[in-house]
């Protein structure tokens, strides 16, 4: 650790000089691009890190500042991963409100969506393995007439009144706890259904309410985004989220260069650093360009549906019109835009 | 009948031979297992299936999207399924005409740039004739077929139709020639005798499964990849890319091997705590002492 800190300090002194040298340039982006062939990678990294310290909250930046920040990142990541990395800064599309629908009757629990997401969104692969989607295996309950008015099974002489469909030990409907680490030979299993959980992109997101530095906010297309540079890593949002959607980078992310997805977005899947929170963004680097999210495309049973909630012709709206729909923990008053449905 | 005539001695010799062969085979397998496992750990899977195992196969092609150096697909190294799409329209053709269904989505799909992965190129099982394929024999003349539709067990072609003996569709009332064309085996046939291409099985399936067909046309049943925008270019999955029409009543979707479970939290040895309520641990949520603590 001391060695690292020393290096960091040394790096900042060099970069300060570089930074002031370039201060007079009309565009820092142009200067950075021109200098990239001369400066050694670690030096370049140190300089951009230093410049990032003076960066504002992404929402408060001018367009010029956004451009500079993106150019800095593109240069740093391209050097770091040895390929051309693009960082997109495109804003929300007009007249679009993203919505998601998932058919829990169709989901087979194969977890392909989990790994498609990891491949797309540059999560840390191991040692703090980060996955934005968690598929929970739920036990199928029995709803039998015999159990309708049973109390606690160990006290047959006492009545605890009618508990619809089950009792404290023999539950009906769903299991008391889901299984996260199920690993059967084949899925789906006969006695289970599967329940994928990810960020619900709430209309009233509790994570946004609690963020002390306002680095996480709701974009006009409904996506709750994070400016990773402005995040202080207090993890208040993780505590506030009722869906366990947010993940924390406890260490430096382990992202192999050959697996790194070079098409990134500033608010989405650009590589994160130690000590910041991240979460699902409905793949906004894709969806803001018109493409389905990675989890939708990979689902082998077509259980995942995605579209524009403001467009009556979109898949999601047609599902809301025709299917039986519910939202997870609707009583939390978060108004998720992630709908679960059954046929 | 001939089996009965085989003497006990011959039978015994046969059994012994099988056992010896079996043991020898097992030993060689055990010897090879170790290096094979090591090879599997390093070798990368580049051939993978899309939805239905053994039906839609796809191989990885590098640098299909040069801008980002994307391959067309990325395969799962553990289960051999497609995990990520670089180019959603790779190896596809236009879906072709679709009959209008009288609902509020009318017109939606007509403006859509709908593509599918064609099935017809895979009909050349034996390569006996590059153009005729199945019709080489099954033209309605060369190979006779029974006039009545009473289902019967077939012994031919289990190599190409592996599940032919497990046929279960329409609760046993439907058999091969209700869907496969007797006089032109390269096509399917509907109940009114109209020929239907293997590329468009939805035209046949939709004749009975109307609700699913409508929902599929609206995009709320089945799988589509590409552009989420209504009217944008999409690749559609047709019925048989997910469902096996021969055994669809046994399994609507053929079970798959799941991808690996997430890493356990630090310090946790196993996930046994999760199975407290599972049927395997304590009966189906029964109040046994083990389940109650």
């Amino acid at each position: 650790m001391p060695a690292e800190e020393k290096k960091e300090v040394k790096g900042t002194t060099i970069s300060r000089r570089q930074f002031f040298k370039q201060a007079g340039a009309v565009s820092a982006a142009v200067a950075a691009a021109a200098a990239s062939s001369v400066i050694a990678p670690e030096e370049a990294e140190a300089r951009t890190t230093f410049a990032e310290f003076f960066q504002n909250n992404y929402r408060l930046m001018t367009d010029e500042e956004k451009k500079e920040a993106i150019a800095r990142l593109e240069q740093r990541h391209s050097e770091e991963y040895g390929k051309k990395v693009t960082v997109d800064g495109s804003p929300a599309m007009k007249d679009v409100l993203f919505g998601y629908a998932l058919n829990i009757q169709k989901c087979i629990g194969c977890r392909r969506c989990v790994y498609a997401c990891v491949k797309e969104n540059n999560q840390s692969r191991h040692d703090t393995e980060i996955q934005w989607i968690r598929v929970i295996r739920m036990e199928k309950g029995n709803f039998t007439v015999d159990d309708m008015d049973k109390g606690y099974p160990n006290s047959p002489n006492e009545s605890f009144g009618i508990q619809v469909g089950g009792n404290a030990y023999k539950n009906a409907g769903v299991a008391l706890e889901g299984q996260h680490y199920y690993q059967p030979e084949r899925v789906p299993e006969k006695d289970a259904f599967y329940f994928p959980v990810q960020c619900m992109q709430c209309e009233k997101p509790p994570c946004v309410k609690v963020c002390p530095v306002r680095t996480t906010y709701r974009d006009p297309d409904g996506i709750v985004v994070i400016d990773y540079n402005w995040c202080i890593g207090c993890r208040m949002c993780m505590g506030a989220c009722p869906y366990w959607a947010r993940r924390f980078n406890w260490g430096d992310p382990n992202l192999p260069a050959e697996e790194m997805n070079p098409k990134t977005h500033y608010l989405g899947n650009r590589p994160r650093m130690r000590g910041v929170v991240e979460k699902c963004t409905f793949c906004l680097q894709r969806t803001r360009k018109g493409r389905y999210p990675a989890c939708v495309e990979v689902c082998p049973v077509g259980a995942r549906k995605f579209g524009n909630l403001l467009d009556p012709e979109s898949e999601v709206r047609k599902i809301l019109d025709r299917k039986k729909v519910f939202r997870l923990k609707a009583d939390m008053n978060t108004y998720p835009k992630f709908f679960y449905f059954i046929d | 009948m001939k089996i009965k005539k085989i003497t006990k001695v011959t039978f015994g010799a046969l059994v012994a031979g099988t056992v010896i062969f079996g043991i020898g085979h097992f030993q060689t397998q055990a010897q090879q297992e170790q290096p094979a496992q090591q090879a599997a750990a390093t070798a990368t899977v580049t051939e993978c299936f899309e939805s239905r195992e053994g039906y839609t196969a796809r191989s990885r092609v590098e640098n299909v999207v040069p801008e980002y150096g994307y391959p067309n697909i990325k395969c799962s190294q553990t289960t051999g399924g497609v995990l990520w799409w670089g180019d959603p329209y790779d190896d596809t053709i236009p879906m072709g005409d679709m009959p209008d269904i009288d609902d509020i989505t009318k017109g939606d799909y007509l403006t859509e740039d709908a593509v599918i992965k064609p099935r017809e190129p895979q009909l050349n099982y034996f390569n006996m004739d590059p153009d005729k394929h199945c019709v080489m024999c099954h033209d309605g003349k060369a190979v006779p077929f029974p006039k009545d539709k009473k289902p019967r067990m077939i012994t031919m072609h289990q190599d190409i139709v592996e599940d032919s003996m497990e046929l279960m569709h329409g609760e046993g009332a439907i058999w091969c020639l209700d869907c496969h064309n007797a006089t032109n085996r390269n096509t399917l046939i509907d109940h009114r005798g109209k020929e239907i291409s293997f590329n468009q099985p939805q035209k046949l399936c939709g004749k009975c499964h109307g609700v699913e067909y409508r929902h599929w046309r609206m995009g709320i049943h089945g799988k589509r990849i590409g552009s989420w925008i209504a009217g944008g270019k999409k690749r559609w999955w047709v019925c048989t890319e997910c469902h096996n029409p021969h055994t669809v009543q046994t399994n609507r979707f053929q079970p798959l091997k799941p991808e690996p479970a997430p890493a356990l939290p630090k310090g946790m040895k196993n996930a046994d705590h999760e199975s407290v309520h599972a049927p395997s641990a304590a009966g189906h949520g029964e109040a046994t002492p083990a389940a109650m603590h």
Side-chain angles (χ1 to χ4, degrees), chain A residues 85-149:
Chain A
V85 177
T86 60
V87 180
D88 185 17
S90 54
M93 296 162 87
K94 269 200 136 192
D95 301 323
V96 168
L97 186 68
F98 286 128
Y100 209 115
L102 195 152
N103 192 337
I104 47 167
Q105 219 173 339
K106 291 242 156 54
C107 177
I108 59 168
C110 68
R111 290 205 191 95
R112 278 204 212 176
C113 48
V114 177
Y115 290 89
C117 172
V118 169
K119 284 207 182 324
E120 173 71 25
N121 289 301
N122 292 329
Q123 284 100 321
S124 175
R125 297 297 201 271
H126 57 89
D127 298 314
T128 53
E129 176 193 66
I130 291 181
Q131 295 173 346
W132 291 351
I133 305 174
R134 181 61 64 95
V135 186
I136 302 170
R137 178 194 188 270
M138 307 292 265
E139 185 187 336
K140 266 185 193 164
N142 285 334
F143 194 89
T144 57
V145 179
D146 297 340
D147 298 333
M148 285 287 280
D149 55 353

Side-chain angles (χ1 to χ4, degrees), chain B residues 36-59:
Chain B
Q37 271 181 350
Q38 283 169 358
T42 50
T44 45
V45 179
T46 52
E47 301 278 328
C48 42
F49 67 99
E50 291 173 349
S51 282
R52 228 177 96 188
E53 213 167 350
Y55 184 79
T56 48
R58 196 161 274 265
S59 40

Side-chain angles (χ1 to χ4, degrees), chain B residues 148-154 163-180 188-191 204-205 207-209 245-249:
Chain B
D148 69 306
K149 283 188 168 186
K150 197 167 175 251
R152 67 196 167 88
M153 284 299 186
I154 58 162
D163 41 32
S164 60
M165 299 303 257
E166 293 143 37
L167 176 71
M168 183 50 77
H169 196 140
E171 293 176 357
I174 288 177
W175 80 309
C176 318
L177 296 185
D178 284 325
C179 299
H180 292 278
L188 299 165
I189 192 161
D190 73 4
H191 62 300
L204 174 63
C205 306
K207 291 272 157 51
C208 295
H209 304 283
H246 300 142
T247 59
V248 71
Q249 280 186 328

Side-chain angles (χ1 to χ4, degrees), chain A residues 110-112 115-116 120 129 139 169 180 183 187 261 263 287 290-292 297-300 305 315 318 323, chain B residues 49-51 53 70 83-85 108 215 222-224 226-228 255-256 259-261 263 265 274 277 285:
Chain A
C110 68
R111 290 205 191 95
R112 278 204 212 176
Y115 290 89
E120 173 71 25
E129 176 193 66
E139 185 187 336
Y169 300 113
H180 298 230
Q183 194 65 42
V187 288
N261 178 8
K263 186 187 181 185
T287 49
R291 179 105 180 256
Y292 276 122
E297 290 204 341
V298 84
C299 181
K305 296 287 164 194
E315 292 170 9
K318 284 174 189 164
K323 304 281 187 176
Chain B
F49 67 99
E50 291 173 349
S51 282
E53 213 167 350
Y70 284 166
L83 267 195
W84 186 86
W85 294 87
D108 174 25
H215 285 178
K223 173 172 174 165
R224 304 192 294 182
S227 166
W228 59 262
L256 299 176
E259 297 294 326
E274 286 195 328
H277 300 284

Side-chain angles (χ1 to χ4, degrees), chain A residues 72-96:
Chain A
R72 277 198 295 269
L73 285 174
E74 280 185 341
Q75 192 202 346
R76 173 150 68 90
H77 292 319
S78 297
E79 283 167 7
E80 200 175 333
Y81 295 99
K83 54 184 164 187
K84 196 183 172 296
V85 177
T86 60
V87 180
D88 185 17
S90 54
M93 296 162 87
K94 269 200 136 192
D95 301 323
V96 168

Side-chain angles (χ1 to χ4, degrees), chain B residues 85-114:
Chain B
W85 294 87
D87 178 13
Y89 315 120
D90 177 40
D91 196 18
T92 54
I93 60 161
M95 182 149 69
D97 64 313
M98 289 280 282
D100 192 11
I101 52 169
D102 196 24
D103 74 333
I104 61 158
T105 65
K106 187 158 54 177
D108 174 25
Y109 50 86
L110 290 174
T111 59
E112 239 167 333
D113 211 347

Side-chain angles (χ1 to χ4, degrees), chain A residues 243-260:
Chain A
Y243 305 106
W244 194 50
R246 288 175 169 253
R247 304 285 184 274
F248 187 64
N249 285 283
W250 287 99
D252 286 314
N254 288 306
L255 174 61
E258 68 274 11
E259 286 185 37
M260 193 256 171

